[in-house]
Structure formats: C-alpha cells, structure tokens
C-alpha cells in the first residue's frame, strides 16, 4: 500500500508542471493587458506612456522566456506572484476566498450524497417501479438543466416569492445563506450519483455470488448489507471523489450568480481586468485541488479493492 501511495503522489508532480506551463503560455498570448483594461470603459483616453510605464512596472515588457523563468522560479518557492490590482500576494487573496469555496463545495457534496445515494439504492432494489422511473427522470433532468437557470429558478421561488431564504450574498456564513447556492451546485452531482448508484447496485444484484447467497438462505437485508453495499461502494466512492474534486471549478458560475465570495468569483473578476497573476494562481489551485482529491480517491479505491494495488 505504501508503494502504491508513493507512486500515485509522484504522478501528480509532472501533471502540475505541465498544467503550470500551459497556463503561462495561454495567458501570455491572450491579447490585452491589465494596463489596457484600465481604459476599457471608454471614459478615459488610453495614454501610451502610462500603459508602457505600467507594463514595465509589472514586468510585462520583458521577453517571454525571461518571464517564464521568473514564473517557474516563483512557483518553486510556492510564490504565485502579486496581484496587479490590489498589489497583494496572490496566495493571500486565494487563502481569503478558499474557505468560502470549500464550504460551498462540501455542502453541495453532502446534499448530493445524502439524497442521491439512497435514491439510487432504492431505485435499483425496485427496478421498474414508480420510484425507479421518477428517480431516473429526475436524474436526467438534473444533468440536463443548466446550473445558472436552476439557480435563478430557486432564487425566484424561495427568495422572491416565498421570502424564505436570502437571494444572494455570503452574509454571516450561516446556513440560510448557504442553502440556495449549495443546492444549485449539488443538483448535477446528485443526479449523477443517483444514476451511478443505481447502475452499480443493479450490476451487483445480477452477479452470480448474489444468487449463491440467496440460495444459501441469506435474507434480502443481509445480502444488501454485506454483499451489495460493499461491492457497489467502489463505484460510488469513485464518483463522489471525482465530483467533489471538480466542484470548485464548477462553482465559478454559481459563485458569481449568488455573489458568493469564493475563488470562482475571484477568477471571473480577475479575468475581466486581465489580472494575470491572480488568474494563473487561481486556475493552478483549482487543478491542484482536483489532483489531490483524485489521488485520495485512488487510495480509498485501493483500500476497498486490494486488487487495484497490483495493477
């Protein structure tokens, strides 16, 4: 197990290097700079001397290779640079927002697990029933509906019409402010979990060892508890991990829609004003988060099914 863990951790490093390289190259060739974006509102005439001075201050007039060496050197020291707009370290800006993003992602994932997994189990145990049909229709709808549209619908119903919940904002970080964005973000993984759980449980129920367990007189409850649940757990854990790892990236639209102060809204705001160090740092953190969760899922997967360690 230790050898498998070390191998998976070592596989993360080259991925991070490649992603960092791609991020730098992409945002180095994108037209426009922070200095130019200051005059993008059209209310002030662009001063070429001021733009040149700002580009020199931010090091944007240096050769591409020199900027790349500086970028890689800073990354090796865990330095993501300094924001053009606020002149604060990018690490501090992301740290201030990361807590809100994690809170939203965890709440959305808990909602998806608590609702999606039991629905998938019950639908699989009663195939063809009204519950099964309703669950699958709901799952397909949840995967098909755009997040921002569903969020606007919830906002209109529960905030504007019923006045039960605040429509947007972090507030004091209470549960009331968290419910609408968490449910909006959690609908898609909930739908996927319900379908995945149903498929996994049905696959296990049709296996030969389940029929053997029934033939030995084992009750349905014991079969589900000791055989079906454990064997279906591998697929469920994999789905949960992959969805949780990608939720922070998926939350970009939701955070902006609900004015949630996470790194997703920070990313959108920074892209709009060409604050490249913040954009690069935020994307790198989102990718690193996904890789960490993906690695953790592989380790849990190997613990559940020891055969994985031999591959």
């Amino acid at each position: 197990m230790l050898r498998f863990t070390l191998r998976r951790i070592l596989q993360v490093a080259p991925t991070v290097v490649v992603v960092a390289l791609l991020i730098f190259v992409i945002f180095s060739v994108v037209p426009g700079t922070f200095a130019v974006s200051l005059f993008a509102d059209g209310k002030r005439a662009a001063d070429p001397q001021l733009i040149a001075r700002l580009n020199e201050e931010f090091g944007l007039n240096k050769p591409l290779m020199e900027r790349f060496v500086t970028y890689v050197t800073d990354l090796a020291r865990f330095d993501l640079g300094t924001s053009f707009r606020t002149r604060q370290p990018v690490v501090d800006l992301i740290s201030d927002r990361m807590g809100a993003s994690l809170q939203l992602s965890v709440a959305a994932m808990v909602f998806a697990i608590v609702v999606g997994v039991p629905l998938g189990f019950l639908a699989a145990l009663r195939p063809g029933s009204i519950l099964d049909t309703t669950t699958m229709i709901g799952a397909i709808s949840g995967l098909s509906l755009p997040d921002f549209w569903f969020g606007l619908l919830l906002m209109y119903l529960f905030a504007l019409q019923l006045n039960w919940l605040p429509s947007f904002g972090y507030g004091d970080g209470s549960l009331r402010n968290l419910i609408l964005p968490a449910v909006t973000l959690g609908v898609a993984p909930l739908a996927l979990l319900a379908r995945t759980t149903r498929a996994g449980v049905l696959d296990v129920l049709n296996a030969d060892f389940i029929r053997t367990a029934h033939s030995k007189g084992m009750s349905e409850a014991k079969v589900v508890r000791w055989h079906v649940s454990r064997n279906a757990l591998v697929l469920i854990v994999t789905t949960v991990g992959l969805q949780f790892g990608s939720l922070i990236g998926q939350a970009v639209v939701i955070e902006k829609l609900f004015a949630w102060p996470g790194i997703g809204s920070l990313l959108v705001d920074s892209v709009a004003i060409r604050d490249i160090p913040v954009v690069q740092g935020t994307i790198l953190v989102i990718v690193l988060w996904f890789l960490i969760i993906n690695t953790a899922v592989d380790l849990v997967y190997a613990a559940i099914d020891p055969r994985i360690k031999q591959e």
Side-chain angles (χ1 to χ4, degrees), residues 114-136 193-195 197-199 201-202 205 220 224 228-229 236:
V114 169
V115 179
V117 174
L119 276 179
F121 256 100
L122 293 175
L125 294 176
R126 297 171 177 82
S129 64
I130 296 178
L131 175 63
D132 183 27
T133 304
T134 305
T135 300
M136 289 303 98
L193 268 175
R195 293 190 64 183
T197 302
R198 178 183 181 275
V201 172
L202 282 176
L205 286 173
E220 183 71 21
V224 172
V228 177
S229 299
I236 296 172

Short mmCIF file of all heavy atoms in Angstrom, two decimals, residues 114-136 193-195 197-199 201-202 205 220 224 228-229 236:
data_model
loop_
_atom_site.label_atom_id
_atom_site.label_comp_id
_atom_site.label_asym_id
_atom_site.label_seq_id
_atom_site.Cartn_x
_atom_site.Cartn_y
_atom_site.Cartn_z
N VAL A 114 -26.33 12.59 0.43
CA VAL A 114 -27.44 12.25 1.32
C VAL A 114 -28.71 11.95 0.53
O VAL A 114 -29.50 11.07 0.90
CB VAL A 114 -27.68 13.39 2.33
CG1 VAL A 114 -28.98 13.19 3.08
CG2 VAL A 114 -26.52 13.49 3.30
N VAL A 115 -28.93 12.65 -0.57
CA VAL A 115 -30.13 12.43 -1.37
C VAL A 115 -29.89 11.44 -2.51
O VAL A 115 -30.70 10.53 -2.74
CB VAL A 115 -30.65 13.78 -1.93
CG1 VAL A 115 -31.90 13.54 -2.78
CG2 VAL A 115 -30.95 14.75 -0.80
N GLY A 116 -28.79 11.58 -3.23
CA GLY A 116 -28.57 10.80 -4.44
C GLY A 116 -28.30 9.32 -4.21
O GLY A 116 -28.86 8.47 -4.90
N VAL A 117 -27.44 9.00 -3.23
CA VAL A 117 -27.08 7.59 -2.99
C VAL A 117 -28.28 6.76 -2.51
O VAL A 117 -28.56 5.69 -3.07
CB VAL A 117 -25.90 7.49 -2.01
CG1 VAL A 117 -25.63 6.03 -1.64
CG2 VAL A 117 -24.64 8.10 -2.62
N PRO A 118 -29.04 7.20 -1.50
CA PRO A 118 -30.23 6.41 -1.11
C PRO A 118 -31.25 6.27 -2.23
O PRO A 118 -31.84 5.19 -2.40
CB PRO A 118 -30.81 7.22 0.07
CG PRO A 118 -29.67 7.99 0.61
CD PRO A 118 -28.82 8.33 -0.56
N LEU A 119 -31.45 7.34 -3.02
CA LEU A 119 -32.38 7.24 -4.14
C LEU A 119 -31.92 6.20 -5.14
O LEU A 119 -32.73 5.41 -5.67
CB LEU A 119 -32.53 8.60 -4.82
CG LEU A 119 -33.52 9.59 -4.22
CD1 LEU A 119 -33.52 10.89 -5.00
CD2 LEU A 119 -34.92 8.99 -4.16
N GLY A 120 -30.63 6.18 -5.43
CA GLY A 120 -30.10 5.20 -6.37
C GLY A 120 -30.25 3.78 -5.86
O GLY A 120 -30.59 2.86 -6.62
N PHE A 121 -29.99 3.58 -4.56
CA PHE A 121 -30.14 2.26 -3.95
C PHE A 121 -31.59 1.78 -4.03
O PHE A 121 -31.88 0.66 -4.46
CB PHE A 121 -29.68 2.30 -2.49
CG PHE A 121 -28.35 1.67 -2.26
CD1 PHE A 121 -27.21 2.46 -2.14
CD2 PHE A 121 -28.21 0.31 -2.18
CE1 PHE A 121 -25.96 1.90 -1.93
CE2 PHE A 121 -26.98 -0.29 -1.96
CZ PHE A 121 -25.85 0.52 -1.84
N LEU A 122 -32.51 2.64 -3.62
CA LEU A 122 -33.92 2.25 -3.60
C LEU A 122 -34.44 1.99 -5.01
O LEU A 122 -35.23 1.06 -5.23
CB LEU A 122 -34.75 3.35 -2.93
CG LEU A 122 -34.49 3.54 -1.43
CD1 LEU A 122 -35.28 4.74 -0.91
CD2 LEU A 122 -34.85 2.28 -0.65
N ALA A 123 -34.00 2.80 -5.97
CA ALA A 123 -34.43 2.61 -7.35
C ALA A 123 -33.93 1.27 -7.90
O ALA A 123 -34.64 0.57 -8.63
CB ALA A 123 -33.94 3.76 -8.22
N ALA A 124 -32.69 0.89 -7.53
CA ALA A 124 -32.13 -0.37 -8.01
C ALA A 124 -32.81 -1.58 -7.37
O ALA A 124 -32.97 -2.63 -8.00
CB ALA A 124 -30.63 -0.40 -7.73
N LEU A 125 -33.21 -1.43 -6.10
CA LEU A 125 -33.87 -2.54 -5.41
C LEU A 125 -35.29 -2.76 -5.89
O LEU A 125 -35.86 -3.83 -5.67
CB LEU A 125 -33.86 -2.28 -3.89
CG LEU A 125 -32.48 -2.27 -3.22
CD1 LEU A 125 -32.61 -1.92 -1.75
CD2 LEU A 125 -31.77 -3.61 -3.39
N ARG A 126 -35.86 -1.71 -6.54
CA ARG A 126 -37.22 -1.83 -7.08
C ARG A 126 -37.24 -1.39 -8.54
O ARG A 126 -37.86 -0.38 -8.89
CB ARG A 126 -38.19 -0.98 -6.25
CG ARG A 126 -38.32 -1.41 -4.81
CD ARG A 126 -39.11 -0.40 -3.99
NE ARG A 126 -39.31 -0.85 -2.62
CZ ARG A 126 -38.39 -0.71 -1.66
NH1 ARG A 126 -37.22 -0.15 -1.94
NH2 ARG A 126 -38.63 -1.14 -0.44
N PRO A 127 -36.54 -2.11 -9.40
CA PRO A 127 -36.47 -1.70 -10.81
C PRO A 127 -37.83 -1.73 -11.49
O PRO A 127 -38.62 -2.65 -11.28
CB PRO A 127 -35.52 -2.74 -11.43
CG PRO A 127 -35.58 -3.91 -10.51
CD PRO A 127 -35.81 -3.36 -9.14
N GLY A 128 -38.10 -0.70 -12.27
CA GLY A 128 -39.37 -0.62 -12.98
C GLY A 128 -40.50 -0.02 -12.17
O GLY A 128 -41.60 0.18 -12.70
N SER A 129 -40.25 0.27 -10.88
CA SER A 129 -41.30 0.84 -10.04
C SER A 129 -41.46 2.32 -10.33
O SER A 129 -40.68 2.93 -11.06
CB SER A 129 -40.96 0.62 -8.56
OG SER A 129 -39.78 1.34 -8.23
N ILE A 130 -42.47 2.92 -9.71
CA ILE A 130 -42.69 4.36 -9.86
C ILE A 130 -41.50 5.14 -9.31
O ILE A 130 -41.06 6.14 -9.90
CB ILE A 130 -43.99 4.78 -9.14
CG1 ILE A 130 -45.21 4.12 -9.80
CG2 ILE A 130 -44.15 6.30 -9.15
CD1 ILE A 130 -46.53 4.44 -9.12
N LEU A 131 -40.95 4.66 -8.18
CA LEU A 131 -39.79 5.32 -7.60
C LEU A 131 -38.60 5.27 -8.56
O LEU A 131 -37.90 6.27 -8.74
CB LEU A 131 -39.42 4.64 -6.28
CG LEU A 131 -38.13 5.15 -5.60
CD1 LEU A 131 -38.26 6.61 -5.22
CD2 LEU A 131 -37.80 4.29 -4.38
N ASP A 132 -38.38 4.11 -9.18
CA ASP A 132 -37.28 3.96 -10.13
C ASP A 132 -37.46 4.90 -11.32
O ASP A 132 -36.53 5.61 -11.72
CB ASP A 132 -37.21 2.50 -10.60
CG ASP A 132 -36.04 2.26 -11.53
OD1 ASP A 132 -35.04 2.99 -11.43
OD2 ASP A 132 -36.14 1.35 -12.38
N THR A 133 -38.65 4.92 -11.89
CA THR A 133 -38.91 5.77 -13.05
C THR A 133 -38.77 7.24 -12.70
O THR A 133 -38.14 8.02 -13.43
CB THR A 133 -40.33 5.52 -13.59
OG1 THR A 133 -40.47 4.13 -13.89
CG2 THR A 133 -40.59 6.35 -14.82
N THR A 134 -39.33 7.64 -11.55
CA THR A 134 -39.25 9.04 -11.12
C THR A 134 -37.81 9.45 -10.85
O THR A 134 -37.39 10.56 -11.22
CB THR A 134 -40.09 9.25 -9.85
OG1 THR A 134 -41.43 8.82 -10.08
CG2 THR A 134 -40.09 10.72 -9.44
N THR A 135 -37.04 8.57 -10.23
CA THR A 135 -35.65 8.88 -9.93
C THR A 135 -34.83 9.08 -11.19
O THR A 135 -34.03 10.02 -11.29
CB THR A 135 -35.02 7.75 -9.09
OG1 THR A 135 -35.74 7.61 -7.86
CG2 THR A 135 -33.56 8.03 -8.79
N MET A 136 -35.04 8.23 -12.17
CA MET A 136 -34.28 8.35 -13.41
C MET A 136 -34.69 9.58 -14.21
O MET A 136 -33.84 10.25 -14.82
CB MET A 136 -34.47 7.08 -14.26
CG MET A 136 -33.77 5.85 -13.70
SD MET A 136 -31.96 6.12 -13.48
CE MET A 136 -31.87 6.54 -11.72
N LEU A 193 -24.86 10.80 -9.12
CA LEU A 193 -24.73 9.79 -8.07
C LEU A 193 -25.91 8.84 -8.07
O LEU A 193 -25.75 7.62 -7.87
CB LEU A 193 -24.60 10.47 -6.71
CG LEU A 193 -23.19 10.76 -6.21
CD1 LEU A 193 -23.25 11.54 -4.91
CD2 LEU A 193 -22.39 9.49 -6.03
N ALA A 194 -27.11 9.37 -8.27
CA ALA A 194 -28.30 8.51 -8.29
C ALA A 194 -28.21 7.50 -9.43
O ALA A 194 -28.48 6.31 -9.24
CB ALA A 194 -29.55 9.37 -8.43
N ARG A 195 -27.82 7.97 -10.62
CA ARG A 195 -27.71 7.06 -11.77
C ARG A 195 -26.58 6.06 -11.58
O ARG A 195 -26.73 4.87 -11.88
CB ARG A 195 -27.48 7.87 -13.04
CG ARG A 195 -28.65 8.73 -13.47
CD ARG A 195 -28.44 9.30 -14.84
NE ARG A 195 -28.38 8.25 -15.85
CZ ARG A 195 -28.15 8.47 -17.14
NH1 ARG A 195 -27.94 9.70 -17.58
NH2 ARG A 195 -28.14 7.47 -17.99
N THR A 197 -25.19 5.02 -8.71
CA THR A 197 -25.52 4.08 -7.64
C THR A 197 -26.50 3.03 -8.14
O THR A 197 -26.35 1.83 -7.85
CB THR A 197 -26.10 4.83 -6.44
OG1 THR A 197 -25.17 5.81 -5.98
CG2 THR A 197 -26.42 3.86 -5.31
N ARG A 198 -27.50 3.46 -8.85
CA ARG A 198 -28.49 2.51 -9.39
C ARG A 198 -27.82 1.50 -10.31
O ARG A 198 -28.07 0.29 -10.21
CB ARG A 198 -29.59 3.26 -10.15
CG ARG A 198 -30.64 2.36 -10.78
CD ARG A 198 -31.64 3.19 -11.57
NE ARG A 198 -32.67 2.34 -12.18
CZ ARG A 198 -32.53 1.72 -13.35
NH1 ARG A 198 -31.39 1.87 -14.03
NH2 ARG A 198 -33.51 0.97 -13.83
N ALA A 199 -26.97 1.99 -11.21
CA ALA A 199 -26.29 1.09 -12.15
C ALA A 199 -25.36 0.13 -11.41
O ALA A 199 -25.31 -1.08 -11.73
CB ALA A 199 -25.51 1.90 -13.18
N VAL A 201 -25.51 -0.89 -8.22
CA VAL A 201 -26.26 -1.86 -7.41
C VAL A 201 -26.92 -2.91 -8.29
O VAL A 201 -26.91 -4.11 -7.96
CB VAL A 201 -27.31 -1.12 -6.55
CG1 VAL A 201 -28.24 -2.11 -5.86
CG2 VAL A 201 -26.63 -0.24 -5.52
N LEU A 202 -27.50 -2.50 -9.41
CA LEU A 202 -28.10 -3.46 -10.33
C LEU A 202 -27.07 -4.45 -10.85
O LEU A 202 -27.35 -5.65 -10.99
CB LEU A 202 -28.77 -2.73 -11.50
CG LEU A 202 -30.13 -2.09 -11.23
CD1 LEU A 202 -30.60 -1.32 -12.46
CD2 LEU A 202 -31.15 -3.14 -10.83
N LEU A 205 -26.39 -6.90 -8.07
CA LEU A 205 -27.54 -7.77 -7.82
C LEU A 205 -27.65 -8.89 -8.84
O LEU A 205 -28.18 -9.97 -8.54
CB LEU A 205 -28.83 -6.94 -7.82
CG LEU A 205 -29.08 -6.06 -6.60
CD1 LEU A 205 -30.30 -5.18 -6.81
CD2 LEU A 205 -29.24 -6.91 -5.34
N GLU A 220 -32.77 -10.99 2.40
CA GLU A 220 -32.53 -9.88 1.46
C GLU A 220 -31.77 -8.74 2.15
O GLU A 220 -30.87 -8.14 1.56
CB GLU A 220 -33.87 -9.37 0.93
CG GLU A 220 -33.74 -8.26 -0.11
CD GLU A 220 -33.20 -8.78 -1.43
OE1 GLU A 220 -33.29 -10.00 -1.68
OE2 GLU A 220 -32.67 -7.96 -2.21
N VAL A 224 -28.06 -7.33 0.95
CA VAL A 224 -27.83 -5.92 0.60
C VAL A 224 -26.76 -5.32 1.49
O VAL A 224 -25.87 -4.60 1.02
CB VAL A 224 -29.15 -5.13 0.72
CG1 VAL A 224 -28.90 -3.63 0.56
CG2 VAL A 224 -30.15 -5.60 -0.31
N VAL A 228 -24.06 -6.43 -1.43
CA VAL A 228 -24.38 -5.40 -2.43
C VAL A 228 -23.72 -4.07 -2.07
O VAL A 228 -23.07 -3.44 -2.92
CB VAL A 228 -25.92 -5.22 -2.55
CG1 VAL A 228 -26.23 -4.09 -3.52
CG2 VAL A 228 -26.56 -6.52 -2.99
N SER A 229 -23.88 -3.65 -0.83
CA SER A 229 -23.35 -2.34 -0.42
C SER A 229 -21.84 -2.25 -0.61
O SER A 229 -21.32 -1.28 -1.17
CB SER A 229 -23.71 -2.06 1.04
OG SER A 229 -25.10 -2.03 1.21
N ILE A 236 -19.35 4.05 -6.21
CA ILE A 236 -19.90 5.24 -5.56
C ILE A 236 -18.78 6.15 -5.06
O ILE A 236 -18.82 7.37 -5.26
CB ILE A 236 -20.83 4.83 -4.40
CG1 ILE A 236 -22.04 4.06 -4.94
CG2 ILE A 236 -21.28 6.05 -3.62
CD1 ILE A 236 -22.91 3.46 -3.85
#
